[in-house]
Amino acid sequence: MIEGEKTGMNLQSLNSVVHSDPEIMGGAPVFVGTRVPVESLFDHLKAGDSIDVFLDGFPSVKREQVLKVLEVVEHEILAHA
């Protein structure tokens, strides 16, 4: 598979769990079906919180959504290493 195709597939996968709409949270990327900004996930992780702590605080977000975001980020980083 060509590197660009991997990126395209990752972004397509990401679109199934992350959404951006100017009418929702000013266009900030949010988890699909919620008003929870994806940035909140990274803020929690940077603060040392576990995924479980994040999910407890945002019960509308599904574990699968969080794992997909992290998977896409991982693939993007490794593709450029």
Side-chain angles (χ1 to χ4, degrees), residues 18-22 24-31 36-39:
V18 174
H19 175 69
S20 181
D21 181 334
I24 301 172
M25 302 297 291
V30 298
F31 289 96
V36 179
V38 174
E39 184 176 12

Side-chain angles (χ1 to χ4, degrees), residues 1-21:
M1 185 177 291
I2 302 170
E3 185 174 318
E5 289 177 349
K6 289 180 188 176
T7 301
M9 286 179 55
N10 287 337
L11 294 178
Q12 189 174 37
S13 297
L14 185 62
N15 288 336
S16 69
V17 295
V18 174
H19 175 69
S20 181
D21 181 334

Side-chain angles (χ1 to χ4, degrees), residues 17-54:
V17 295
V18 174
H19 175 69
S20 181
D21 181 334
E23 299 294 320
I24 301 172
M25 302 297 291
V30 298
F31 289 96
V32 169
T34 77
R35 295 179 62 82
V36 179
V38 174
E39 184 176 12
S40 294
L41 169 63
F42 292 106
D43 290 344
H44 276 75
L45 295 175
K46 287 188 283 188
D49 293 337
S50 67
I51 291 172
D52 289 327
V53 168
F54 173 78

Side-chain angles (χ1 to χ4, degrees), residues 6-7 10 70-80:
K6 289 180 188 176
T7 301
N10 287 337
L70 295 176
E71 176 186 333
V72 170
V73 170
E74 174 187 28
H75 285 275
E76 287 300 308
I77 290 170
L78 294 177
H80 294 91

